[in-house]
Amino acid sequence: MRRLILFLLFLFPLISAGQDLPKPSGPYTPGVRDLFLNDPSRADSALGGQISVRVWYPASESAGRRSDYFPEGLNDALQRIGYAKLDSTGLARLAGLRSNSIRDAKPAAGRKFPVVLFSPGWGMATFSYTALIEELVSQGTIIIAIDHLYCGPVRLPDGRIITGKDYPFEKYAPYLLAALRDTRFVMNTVNAGTNGFAFLAGITDPDRSGVMGHSIGGNVALLAARETKPFRFAINLDGGAFDEVSPGTMKIPALTLRSFPVYSDAELSAKGRTRAAWNAMGEAIDSTFRANLERTRSASVEVKIPSTGHMSFSDAPFLMPDMLTRFGGTYLSPQETLRITSALILSFIRNSHPESLKRFPERLKREKIVVRVFGP
């Protein structure tokens, strides 16, 4: 997995920001709050049990102050660490962006919503997934994004900025297990309504609560799938296969969405690869995924979306398009990528059963999305 992550980081160019975030299409306006939690059992952490989360939820109001794209005070730290290899102009533009979410809005009442915890990719912060999160929230989902310590940039209550460079893991297993503990603690805290989550009382549905993540965060989600409590489903957005954590059996329904970039022979040659070598690498990755997904006692679904890249599941298509296109390839439009990805995720959240993936509109079938179902 380390080689996969380093290869993906190598592909990140020095870029400028692109266009704005899309407007969510659902009936709810997203609300957003930032919370700092404390897990007193985390004596192993150099900073104690501090956990930073950003809570997105369906709001009862559409007017109010829109939230800044990323938390106040992060700009200097992002420049210092070269976040996503953005240049200063690109970072300055992102610093001036507002999301579509209303800061500290009153939550919508009258029904219960599924709760999904989200873990970002390595070196990334949760704000870099705002477009997808806001779309899911607008359709009636609560998303609680966790900025795990020592992964991406995290601003602590005392003003300090902690990044992955402050604690360089020699291997990813310790990070994965620590992030899994964060995820378990946050979900239990949400269900208890403590540590600042009282404002969600009465609108969360523990029976439809799960965990989702991108890249290494997707690995965290699949680790969570080995447990029956407190999670009911897991969603992996293009996370790699395990090679530092012992394989285990998934006990709850799991959905894996995988990127499927399309390159011409000339583009592969420019990368120093042949078509045969590229196909062989794909088959090796497929077999590794298959070996993990077959270890399930419940429904496990894998979906490959043609003309998407690893960062298609983030805000990159809208705000940092060069992350996808520097080395060529044919990609879906940002709007189409978001539409397909959110439709797959929402269908799985609402049903948590592979049969739901067989009932998509004919349009998705024509796009030749590859679906594989594992388990009983």
Side-chain angles (χ1 to χ4, degrees), residues 221-265:
L222 290 184
L223 281 175
R226 301 177 183 184
E227 306 180 8
T228 56
K229 294 182 179 180
F231 316 110
R232 297 303 178 95
F233 60 81
I235 300 172
N236 165 29
L237 306 180
D238 218 35
F242 303 110
D243 60 2
E244 292 178 2
V245 178
S246 299
T249 299
M250 289 185 287
K251 300 175 182 177
I252 58 176
L255 170 68
T256 289
L257 301 188
R258 290 181 55 196
S259 63
F260 188 13
V262 178
Y263 296 110
S264 67
D265 289 341

mmCIF file of all heavy atoms in Angstrom, residues 221-265:
data_model
loop_
_atom_site.group_PDB
_atom_site.id
_atom_site.type_symbol
_atom_site.label_atom_id
_atom_site.label_comp_id
_atom_site.label_asym_id
_atom_site.label_seq_id
_atom_site.Cartn_x
_atom_site.Cartn_y
_atom_site.Cartn_z
ATOM 1 N N ALA A 221 -12.159 2.405 6.594
ATOM 2 C CA ALA A 221 -13.547 1.965 6.482
ATOM 3 C C ALA A 221 -13.635 0.443 6.388
ATOM 4 O O ALA A 221 -14.502 -0.180 7.015
ATOM 5 C CB ALA A 221 -14.215 2.618 5.274
ATOM 6 N N LEU A 222 -12.757 -0.171 5.596
ATOM 7 C CA LEU A 222 -12.804 -1.627 5.462
ATOM 8 C C LEU A 222 -12.360 -2.327 6.737
ATOM 9 O O LEU A 222 -12.823 -3.431 7.033
ATOM 10 C CB LEU A 222 -11.942 -2.071 4.280
ATOM 11 C CG LEU A 222 -12.484 -1.710 2.890
ATOM 12 C CD1 LEU A 222 -11.594 -2.299 1.804
ATOM 13 C CD2 LEU A 222 -13.921 -2.167 2.705
ATOM 14 N N LEU A 223 -11.464 -1.687 7.501
ATOM 15 C CA LEU A 223 -11.136 -2.248 8.817
ATOM 16 C C LEU A 223 -12.360 -2.207 9.726
ATOM 17 O O LEU A 223 -12.638 -3.151 10.470
ATOM 18 C CB LEU A 223 -9.992 -1.463 9.457
ATOM 19 C CG LEU A 223 -8.572 -1.771 8.986
ATOM 20 C CD1 LEU A 223 -7.587 -0.808 9.639
ATOM 21 C CD2 LEU A 223 -8.180 -3.207 9.308
ATOM 22 N N ALA A 224 -13.103 -1.108 9.652
ATOM 23 C CA ALA A 224 -14.317 -0.988 10.455
ATOM 24 C C ALA A 224 -15.346 -2.041 10.066
ATOM 25 O O ALA A 224 -16.172 -2.445 10.887
ATOM 26 C CB ALA A 224 -14.900 0.412 10.304
ATOM 27 N N ALA A 225 -15.299 -2.490 8.803
ATOM 28 C CA ALA A 225 -16.256 -3.489 8.332
ATOM 29 C C ALA A 225 -16.051 -4.847 8.986
ATOM 30 O O ALA A 225 -16.890 -5.737 8.858
ATOM 31 C CB ALA A 225 -16.166 -3.627 6.809
ATOM 32 N N ARG A 226 -14.954 -5.005 9.699
ATOM 33 C CA ARG A 226 -14.716 -6.259 10.408
ATOM 34 C C ARG A 226 -15.455 -6.314 11.737
ATOM 35 O O ARG A 226 -15.407 -7.318 12.446
ATOM 36 C CB ARG A 226 -13.215 -6.436 10.659
ATOM 37 C CG ARG A 226 -12.386 -6.444 9.388
ATOM 38 C CD ARG A 226 -10.912 -6.545 9.721
ATOM 39 N NE ARG A 226 -10.077 -6.478 8.516
ATOM 40 C CZ ARG A 226 -8.757 -6.610 8.516
ATOM 41 N NH1 ARG A 226 -8.122 -6.829 9.655
ATOM 42 N NH2 ARG A 226 -8.079 -6.529 7.404
ATOM 43 N N GLU A 227 -16.115 -5.210 12.092
ATOM 44 C CA GLU A 227 -16.813 -5.126 13.365
ATOM 45 C C GLU A 227 -18.318 -4.991 13.113
ATOM 46 O O GLU A 227 -18.741 -4.397 12.126
ATOM 47 C CB GLU A 227 -16.301 -3.924 14.163
ATOM 48 C CG GLU A 227 -14.777 -3.932 14.333
ATOM 49 C CD GLU A 227 -14.276 -2.734 15.118
ATOM 50 O OE1 GLU A 227 -15.110 -1.985 15.663
ATOM 51 O OE2 GLU A 227 -13.055 -2.555 15.191
ATOM 52 N N THR A 228 -19.114 -5.509 14.021
ATOM 53 C CA THR A 228 -20.562 -5.403 13.871
ATOM 54 C C THR A 228 -21.129 -4.214 14.634
ATOM 55 O O THR A 228 -22.268 -3.807 14.383
ATOM 56 C CB THR A 228 -21.253 -6.680 14.369
ATOM 57 O OG1 THR A 228 -20.861 -6.928 15.728
ATOM 58 C CG2 THR A 228 -20.862 -7.868 13.506
ATOM 59 N N LYS A 229 -20.387 -3.657 15.559
ATOM 60 C CA LYS A 229 -20.800 -2.474 16.309
ATOM 61 C C LYS A 229 -19.617 -1.528 16.416
ATOM 62 O O LYS A 229 -18.480 -1.978 16.578
ATOM 63 C CB LYS A 229 -21.294 -2.861 17.712
ATOM 64 C CG LYS A 229 -22.567 -3.698 17.715
ATOM 65 C CD LYS A 229 -23.004 -4.000 19.134
ATOM 66 C CE LYS A 229 -24.290 -4.818 19.149
ATOM 67 N NZ LYS A 229 -24.740 -5.115 20.526
ATOM 68 N N PRO A 230 -19.870 -0.212 16.322
ATOM 69 C CA PRO A 230 -21.157 0.465 16.188
ATOM 70 C C PRO A 230 -21.540 0.768 14.739
ATOM 71 O O PRO A 230 -22.405 1.587 14.488
ATOM 72 C CB PRO A 230 -20.909 1.776 16.945
ATOM 73 C CG PRO A 230 -19.467 2.079 16.663
ATOM 74 C CD PRO A 230 -18.777 0.744 16.593
ATOM 75 N N PHE A 231 -20.871 0.103 13.777
ATOM 76 C CA PHE A 231 -21.090 0.420 12.367
ATOM 77 C C PHE A 231 -22.060 -0.582 11.737
ATOM 78 O O PHE A 231 -22.050 -1.763 12.067
ATOM 79 C CB PHE A 231 -19.760 0.404 11.611
ATOM 80 C CG PHE A 231 -18.648 1.104 12.344
ATOM 81 C CD1 PHE A 231 -17.589 0.387 12.879
ATOM 82 C CD2 PHE A 231 -18.664 2.478 12.506
ATOM 83 C CE1 PHE A 231 -16.561 1.022 13.569
ATOM 84 C CE2 PHE A 231 -17.662 3.123 13.191
ATOM 85 C CZ PHE A 231 -16.602 2.398 13.734
ATOM 86 N N ARG A 232 -22.856 -0.095 10.762
ATOM 87 C CA ARG A 232 -23.790 -0.964 10.058
ATOM 88 C C ARG A 232 -23.384 -1.178 8.600
ATOM 89 O O ARG A 232 -23.881 -2.091 7.959
ATOM 90 C CB ARG A 232 -25.205 -0.388 10.131
ATOM 91 C CG ARG A 232 -25.753 -0.298 11.562
ATOM 92 C CD ARG A 232 -25.747 -1.651 12.257
ATOM 93 N NE ARG A 232 -26.208 -1.577 13.629
ATOM 94 C CZ ARG A 232 -27.444 -1.804 14.027
ATOM 95 N NH1 ARG A 232 -28.371 -2.091 13.120
ATOM 96 N NH2 ARG A 232 -27.784 -1.731 15.288
ATOM 97 N N PHE A 233 -22.516 -0.322 8.064
ATOM 98 C CA PHE A 233 -22.017 -0.489 6.695
ATOM 99 C C PHE A 233 -20.712 0.274 6.557
ATOM 100 O O PHE A 233 -20.359 1.111 7.397
ATOM 101 C CB PHE A 233 -23.047 0.006 5.663
ATOM 102 C CG PHE A 233 -23.402 1.460 5.802
ATOM 103 C CD1 PHE A 233 -22.597 2.465 5.279
ATOM 104 C CD2 PHE A 233 -24.571 1.834 6.463
ATOM 105 C CE1 PHE A 233 -22.931 3.799 5.425
ATOM 106 C CE2 PHE A 233 -24.913 3.161 6.605
ATOM 107 C CZ PHE A 233 -24.085 4.150 6.084
ATOM 108 N N ALA A 234 -19.968 -0.047 5.488
ATOM 109 C CA ALA A 234 -18.684 0.616 5.225
ATOM 110 C C ALA A 234 -18.586 0.933 3.740
ATOM 111 O O ALA A 234 -19.038 0.156 2.894
ATOM 112 C CB ALA A 234 -17.524 -0.283 5.646
ATOM 113 N N ILE A 235 -17.988 2.091 3.422
ATOM 114 C CA ILE A 235 -17.821 2.523 2.036
ATOM 115 C C ILE A 235 -16.367 2.927 1.824
ATOM 116 O O ILE A 235 -15.849 3.814 2.515
ATOM 117 C CB ILE A 235 -18.753 3.713 1.705
ATOM 118 C CG1 ILE A 235 -20.216 3.296 1.913
ATOM 119 C CG2 ILE A 235 -18.531 4.176 0.271
ATOM 120 C CD1 ILE A 235 -21.193 4.451 1.805
ATOM 121 N N ASN A 236 -15.724 2.291 0.872
ATOM 122 C CA ASN A 236 -14.324 2.527 0.559
ATOM 123 C C ASN A 236 -14.222 3.232 -0.794
ATOM 124 O O ASN A 236 -14.606 2.670 -1.816
ATOM 125 C CB ASN A 236 -13.573 1.188 0.525
ATOM 126 C CG ASN A 236 -12.212 1.289 -0.135
ATOM 127 O OD1 ASN A 236 -11.575 2.341 -0.102
ATOM 128 N ND2 ASN A 236 -11.764 0.196 -0.731
ATOM 129 N N LEU A 237 -13.698 4.463 -0.803
ATOM 130 C CA LEU A 237 -13.509 5.214 -2.035
ATOM 131 C C LEU A 237 -12.056 5.085 -2.488
ATOM 132 O O LEU A 237 -11.186 5.842 -2.052
ATOM 133 C CB LEU A 237 -13.885 6.691 -1.831
ATOM 134 C CG LEU A 237 -15.290 6.968 -1.275
ATOM 135 C CD1 LEU A 237 -15.514 8.467 -1.127
ATOM 136 C CD2 LEU A 237 -16.352 6.340 -2.161
ATOM 137 N N ASP A 238 -11.795 4.085 -3.300
ATOM 138 C CA ASP A 238 -10.492 3.893 -3.958
ATOM 139 C C ASP A 238 -9.338 3.690 -2.988
ATOM 140 O O ASP A 238 -8.198 4.050 -3.282
ATOM 141 C CB ASP A 238 -10.182 5.064 -4.891
ATOM 142 C CG ASP A 238 -9.486 4.594 -6.169
ATOM 143 O OD1 ASP A 238 -9.819 3.490 -6.649
ATOM 144 O OD2 ASP A 238 -8.623 5.318 -6.688
ATOM 145 N N GLY A 239 -9.636 3.099 -1.825
ATOM 146 C CA GLY A 239 -8.554 2.711 -0.933
ATOM 147 C C GLY A 239 -7.858 1.479 -1.453
ATOM 148 O O GLY A 239 -8.452 0.652 -2.156
ATOM 149 N N GLY A 240 -6.576 1.330 -1.127
ATOM 150 C CA GLY A 240 -5.803 0.181 -1.591
ATOM 151 C C GLY A 240 -6.098 -1.068 -0.778
ATOM 152 O O GLY A 240 -6.905 -1.054 0.156
ATOM 153 N N ALA A 241 -5.452 -2.145 -1.149
ATOM 154 C CA ALA A 241 -5.600 -3.396 -0.404
ATOM 155 C C ALA A 241 -4.657 -3.373 0.793
ATOM 156 O O ALA A 241 -3.668 -2.648 0.817
ATOM 157 C CB ALA A 241 -5.301 -4.588 -1.310
ATOM 158 N N PHE A 242 -4.963 -4.188 1.797
ATOM 159 C CA PHE A 242 -4.128 -4.224 2.984
ATOM 160 C C PHE A 242 -2.838 -4.981 2.700
ATOM 161 O O PHE A 242 -2.844 -6.038 2.103
ATOM 162 C CB PHE A 242 -4.861 -4.941 4.123
ATOM 163 C CG PHE A 242 -6.179 -4.325 4.470
ATOM 164 C CD1 PHE A 242 -7.353 -4.976 4.179
ATOM 165 C CD2 PHE A 242 -6.231 -3.089 5.071
ATOM 166 C CE1 PHE A 242 -8.569 -4.412 4.492
ATOM 167 C CE2 PHE A 242 -7.441 -2.523 5.396
ATOM 168 C CZ PHE A 242 -8.624 -3.182 5.108
ATOM 169 N N ASP A 243 -1.713 -4.429 3.162
ATOM 170 C CA ASP A 243 -0.483 -5.221 3.121
ATOM 171 C C ASP A 243 0.304 -5.064 4.415
ATOM 172 O O ASP A 243 1.360 -5.661 4.578
ATOM 173 C CB ASP A 243 0.399 -4.834 1.919
ATOM 174 C CG ASP A 243 0.830 -3.369 1.955
ATOM 175 O OD1 ASP A 243 0.482 -2.655 2.913
ATOM 176 O OD2 ASP A 243 1.525 -2.950 1.011
ATOM 177 N N GLU A 244 -0.227 -4.277 5.368
ATOM 178 C CA GLU A 244 0.450 -4.098 6.648
ATOM 179 C C GLU A 244 -0.449 -4.454 7.832
ATOM 180 O O GLU A 244 -0.013 -4.433 8.959
ATOM 181 C CB GLU A 244 0.940 -2.655 6.790
ATOM 182 C CG GLU A 244 2.060 -2.317 5.807
ATOM 183 C CD GLU A 244 2.500 -0.870 5.924
ATOM 184 O OE1 GLU A 244 1.967 -0.165 6.790
ATOM 185 O OE2 GLU A 244 3.382 -0.459 5.159
ATOM 186 N N VAL A 245 -1.704 -4.746 7.559
ATOM 187 C CA VAL A 245 -2.635 -5.175 8.589
ATOM 188 C C VAL A 245 -3.155 -6.543 8.183
ATOM 189 O O VAL A 245 -3.535 -6.759 7.047
ATOM 190 C CB VAL A 245 -3.810 -4.181 8.736
ATOM 191 C CG1 VAL A 245 -4.793 -4.667 9.786
ATOM 192 C CG2 VAL A 245 -3.297 -2.795 9.090
ATOM 193 N N SER A 246 -3.153 -7.479 9.119
ATOM 194 C CA SER A 246 -3.565 -8.845 8.794
ATOM 195 C C SER A 246 -4.965 -8.865 8.203
ATOM 196 O O SER A 246 -5.871 -8.200 8.716
ATOM 197 C CB SER A 246 -3.526 -9.710 10.057
ATOM 198 O OG SER A 246 -2.221 -9.756 10.588
ATOM 199 N N PRO A 247 -5.163 -9.624 7.115
ATOM 200 C CA PRO A 247 -6.496 -9.708 6.514
ATOM 201 C C PRO A 247 -7.511 -10.235 7.518
ATOM 202 O O PRO A 247 -7.199 -11.048 8.377
ATOM 203 C CB PRO A 247 -6.292 -10.697 5.353
ATOM 204 C CG PRO A 247 -4.833 -10.661 5.071
ATOM 205 C CD PRO A 247 -4.167 -10.421 6.395
ATOM 206 N N GLY A 248 -8.724 -9.755 7.414
ATOM 207 C CA GLY A 248 -9.791 -10.201 8.294
ATOM 208 C C GLY A 248 -11.081 -10.369 7.521
ATOM 209 O O GLY A 248 -11.160 -10.049 6.333
ATOM 210 N N THR A 249 -12.094 -10.860 8.192
ATOM 211 C CA THR A 249 -13.381 -11.101 7.562
ATOM 212 C C THR A 249 -14.309 -9.913 7.800
ATOM 213 O O THR A 249 -14.501 -9.483 8.940
ATOM 214 C CB THR A 249 -14.024 -12.371 8.139
ATOM 215 O OG1 THR A 249 -13.173 -13.485 7.865
ATOM 216 C CG2 THR A 249 -15.388 -12.610 7.516
ATOM 217 N N MET A 250 -14.884 -9.380 6.725
ATOM 218 C CA MET A 250 -15.837 -8.288 6.863
ATOM 219 C C MET A 250 -17.183 -8.858 7.298
ATOM 220 O O MET A 250 -17.676 -9.817 6.720
ATOM 221 C CB MET A 250 -15.948 -7.518 5.549
ATOM 222 C CG MET A 250 -14.709 -6.698 5.228
ATOM 223 S SD MET A 250 -14.896 -5.671 3.755
ATOM 224 C CE MET A 250 -14.838 -6.914 2.469
ATOM 225 N N LYS A 251 -17.782 -8.204 8.294
ATOM 226 C CA LYS A 251 -19.006 -8.719 8.899
ATOM 227 C C LYS A 251 -20.227 -7.867 8.592
ATOM 228 O O LYS A 251 -21.347 -8.251 8.942
ATOM 229 C CB LYS A 251 -18.816 -8.825 10.409
ATOM 230 C CG LYS A 251 -17.670 -9.749 10.813
ATOM 231 C CD LYS A 251 -17.451 -9.734 12.311
ATOM 232 C CE LYS A 251 -16.261 -10.617 12.695
ATOM 233 N NZ LYS A 251 -15.994 -10.564 14.153
ATOM 234 N N ILE A 252 -20.030 -6.697 7.982
ATOM 235 C CA ILE A 252 -21.150 -5.820 7.642
ATOM 236 C C ILE A 252 -21.072 -5.494 6.156
ATOM 237 O O ILE A 252 -20.026 -5.667 5.525
ATOM 238 C CB ILE A 252 -21.120 -4.523 8.480
ATOM 239 C CG1 ILE A 252 -19.799 -3.766 8.263
ATOM 240 C CG2 ILE A 252 -21.345 -4.822 9.957
ATOM 241 C CD1 ILE A 252 -19.725 -2.435 8.975
ATOM 242 N N PRO A 253 -22.163 -5.050 5.550
ATOM 243 C CA PRO A 253 -22.140 -4.721 4.119
ATOM 244 C C PRO A 253 -21.080 -3.674 3.797
ATOM 245 O O PRO A 253 -20.897 -2.700 4.539
ATOM 246 C CB PRO A 253 -23.546 -4.182 3.867
ATOM 247 C CG PRO A 253 -24.390 -4.806 4.926
ATOM 248 C CD PRO A 253 -23.515 -4.892 6.134
ATOM 249 N N ALA A 254 -20.378 -3.870 2.690
ATOM 250 C CA ALA A 254 -19.309 -2.954 2.299
ATOM 251 C C ALA A 254 -19.417 -2.636 0.811
ATOM 252 O O ALA A 254 -19.684 -3.509 -0.008
ATOM 253 C CB ALA A 254 -17.946 -3.566 2.601
ATOM 254 N N LEU A 255 -19.218 -1.377 0.485
ATOM 255 C CA LEU A 255 -19.193 -0.912 -0.895
ATOM 256 C C LEU A 255 -17.811 -0.342 -1.187
ATOM 257 O O LEU A 255 -17.312 0.495 -0.442
ATOM 258 C CB LEU A 255 -20.254 0.174 -1.114
ATOM 259 C CG LEU A 255 -20.193 0.940 -2.440
ATOM 260 C CD1 LEU A 255 -20.536 0.031 -3.614
ATOM 261 C CD2 LEU A 255 -21.136 2.148 -2.411
ATOM 262 N N THR A 256 -17.179 -0.788 -2.262
ATOM 263 C CA THR A 256 -15.903 -0.236 -2.709
ATOM 264 C C THR A 256 -16.092 0.407 -4.075
ATOM 265 O O THR A 256 -16.516 -0.262 -5.027
ATOM 266 C CB THR A 256 -14.819 -1.327 -2.799
ATOM 267 O OG1 THR A 256 -14.452 -1.741 -1.471
ATOM 268 C CG2 THR A 256 -13.572 -0.806 -3.488
ATOM 269 N N LEU A 257 -15.818 1.696 -4.190
ATOM 270 C CA LEU A 257 -15.810 2.399 -5.476
ATOM 271 C C LEU A 257 -14.365 2.572 -5.897
ATOM 272 O O LEU A 257 -13.550 3.100 -5.139
ATOM 273 C CB LEU A 257 -16.482 3.762 -5.364
ATOM 274 C CG LEU A 257 -17.941 3.791 -4.902
ATOM 275 C CD1 LEU A 257 -18.505 5.210 -5.029
ATOM 276 C CD2 LEU A 257 -18.789 2.823 -5.697
ATOM 277 N N ARG A 258 -14.053 2.134 -7.113
ATOM 278 C CA ARG A 258 -12.671 2.197 -7.588
ATOM 279 C C ARG A 258 -12.565 3.075 -8.826
ATOM 280 O O ARG A 258 -13.445 3.084 -9.684
ATOM 281 C CB ARG A 258 -12.170 0.782 -7.922
ATOM 282 C CG ARG A 258 -11.969 -0.098 -6.705
ATOM 283 C CD ARG A 258 -11.457 -1.458 -7.099
ATOM 284 N NE ARG A 258 -10.242 -1.353 -7.881
ATOM 285 C CZ ARG A 258 -9.725 -2.344 -8.624
ATOM 286 N NH1 ARG A 258 -10.359 -3.502 -8.666
ATOM 287 N NH2 ARG A 258 -8.625 -2.175 -9.289
ATOM 288 N N SER A 259 -11.456 3.798 -8.903
ATOM 289 C CA SER A 259 -11.183 4.599 -10.093
ATOM 290 C C SER A 259 -10.748 3.691 -11.239
ATOM 291 O O SER A 259 -10.248 2.581 -11.021
ATOM 292 C CB SER A 259 -10.101 5.633 -9.806
ATOM 293 O OG SER A 259 -8.870 4.998 -9.469
ATOM 294 N N PHE A 260 -10.944 4.170 -12.459
ATOM 295 C CA PHE A 260 -10.598 3.398 -13.645
ATOM 296 C C PHE A 260 -10.170 4.379 -14.731
ATOM 297 O O PHE A 260 -10.910 4.658 -15.664
ATOM 298 C CB PHE A 260 -11.810 2.568 -14.079
ATOM 299 C CG PHE A 260 -11.537 1.570 -15.173
ATOM 300 C CD1 PHE A 260 -10.250 1.233 -15.543
ATOM 301 C CD2 PHE A 260 -12.596 0.958 -15.835
ATOM 302 C CE1 PHE A 260 -10.009 0.314 -16.545
ATOM 303 C CE2 PHE A 260 -12.373 0.035 -16.843
ATOM 304 C CZ PHE A 260 -11.068 -0.292 -17.197
ATOM 305 N N PRO A 261 -8.941 4.939 -14.607
ATOM 306 C CA PRO A 261 -8.486 5.917 -15.605
ATOM 307 C C PRO A 261 -8.290 5.269 -16.963
ATOM 308 O O PRO A 261 -7.911 4.092 -17.056
ATOM 309 C CB PRO A 261 -7.162 6.422 -15.027
ATOM 310 C CG PRO A 261 -6.697 5.332 -14.119
ATOM 311 C CD PRO A 261 -7.928 4.679 -13.570
ATOM 312 N N VAL A 262 -8.563 6.018 -18.004
ATOM 313 C CA VAL A 262 -8.452 5.526 -19.379
ATOM 314 C C VAL A 262 -7.332 6.294 -20.075
ATOM 315 O O VAL A 262 -7.408 7.512 -20.253
ATOM 316 C CB VAL A 262 -9.775 5.705 -20.144
ATOM 317 C CG1 VAL A 262 -9.629 5.238 -21.587
ATOM 318 C CG2 VAL A 262 -10.904 4.955 -19.431
ATOM 319 N N TYR A 263 -6.266 5.573 -20.449
ATOM 320 C CA TYR A 263 -5.120 6.185 -21.119
ATOM 321 C C TYR A 263 -4.951 5.607 -22.517
ATOM 322 O O TYR A 263 -5.218 4.420 -22.757
ATOM 323 C CB TYR A 263 -3.824 5.925 -20.332
ATOM 324 C CG TYR A 263 -3.777 6.547 -18.971
ATOM 325 C CD1 TYR A 263 -3.828 5.755 -17.832
ATOM 326 C CD2 TYR A 263 -3.677 7.925 -18.815
ATOM 327 C CE1 TYR A 263 -3.775 6.308 -16.572
ATOM 328 C CE2 TYR A 263 -3.622 8.492 -17.561
ATOM 329 C CZ TYR A 263 -3.671 7.684 -16.440
ATOM 330 O OH TYR A 263 -3.625 8.245 -15.189
ATOM 331 N N SER A 264 -4.470 6.427 -23.426
ATOM 332 C CA SER A 264 -4.105 5.948 -24.759
ATOM 333 C C SER A 264 -2.738 5.279 -24.684
ATOM 334 O O SER A 264 -2.000 5.432 -23.704
ATOM 335 C CB SER A 264 -4.063 7.111 -25.747
ATOM 336 O OG SER A 264 -2.988 7.989 -25.425
ATOM 337 N N ASP A 265 -2.371 4.547 -25.736
ATOM 338 C CA ASP A 265 -1.045 3.922 -25.782
ATOM 339 C C ASP A 265 0.054 4.979 -25.711
ATOM 340 O O ASP A 265 1.090 4.769 -25.069
ATOM 341 C CB ASP A 265 -0.886 3.097 -27.064
ATOM 342 C CG ASP A 265 -1.741 1.837 -27.046
ATOM 343 O OD1 ASP A 265 -2.169 1.413 -25.947
ATOM 344 O OD2 ASP A 265 -1.992 1.278 -28.143
#
